[in-house]
């Protein structure tokens, strides 16, 4: 949510006004996205906004993998969840960074990491956070399986498309 939108939401006095502001911010996000929005869910209680986009097409050098879903979840205090996919070099599945930022392995300093090598993850389980432009973007697994590697150290900078965690997917 933009700073202007958040300020307007904080100042909104009626439930209807809050709904209108949330809707306007959601429409702004949809129109700014480079890919087609496939799902939108809005809730006013605790201000939840959840959106999904198709993965934008990129001119690949290798064979193209199926498009991955990108899910965005926003709440007033905890911002965005994003999932992305890239082709791994081995038989594991790579969960990659969808943006440039700083990778954090745990939800807060001193807390246990989201995942360790050997942990089992399901689709939607958090594997880390990428902080970008002062927003904490939770990264979740888009496959079920066992974590075989965490490729980025806590608080390291990451680039778009960089592998964060590798998962040996069920059945592979």
């Amino acid at each position: 949510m933009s700073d202007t939108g958040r300020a307007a939401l904080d100042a909104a006095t009626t439930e209807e006004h809050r709904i209108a502001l949330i809707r306007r911010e959601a429409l702004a996000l949809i129109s700014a996205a480079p890919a087609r929005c496939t799902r939108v869910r809005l809730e006013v209680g605790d201000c939840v906004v959840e959106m999904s986009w198709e993965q934008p097409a990129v001119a690949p050098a290798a064979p193209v993998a199926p498009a991955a879903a990108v899910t965005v979840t926003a709440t007033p205090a905890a911002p965005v969840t994003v999932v992305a996919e890239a082709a791994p070099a081995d038989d594991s599945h790579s969960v990659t960074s969808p943006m440039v930022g700083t990778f954090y392995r745990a939800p807060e300093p001193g807390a246990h990491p989201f995942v360790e090598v050997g942990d089992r993850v399901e689709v939607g389980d958090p594997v880390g956070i990428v902080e970008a432009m002062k927003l904490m973007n939770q990264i979740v697994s888009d496959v079920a399986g066992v974590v075989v590697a965490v490729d980025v150290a806590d608080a390291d900078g990451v680039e778009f498309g960089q592998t964060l965690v590798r998962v040996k997917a069920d059945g592979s």
Side-chain angles (χ1 to χ4, degrees), residues 65-122:
V70 176
T71 304
V72 177
T73 303
T75 60
V80 182
T81 302
V82 180
V83 182
E85 175 178 341
D90 55 13
D91 67 342
S92 63
H93 173 81
S94 293
V95 178
T96 62
S97 179
M99 63 195 71
V100 175
T102 303
F103 180 70
Y104 296 105
R105 294 192 58 205
E108 60 186 38
H112 291 288
F114 287 106
V115 294
E116 295 282 1
V117 173
D119 287 353
R120 173 147 186 81
V121 293
E122 299 297 328

Side-chain angles (χ1 to χ4, degrees), residues 25-51:
E25 287 295 319
L27 290 173
L29 283 171
I30 291 169
S31 65
R36 186 176 70 88
C37 183
T38 59
R39 186 178 67 141
V40 175
R41 177 181 154 235
L42 300 171
E43 284 184 29
V44 175
D46 290 327
C47 184
V48 174
V49 176
E50 188 173 313
M51 306 170 125

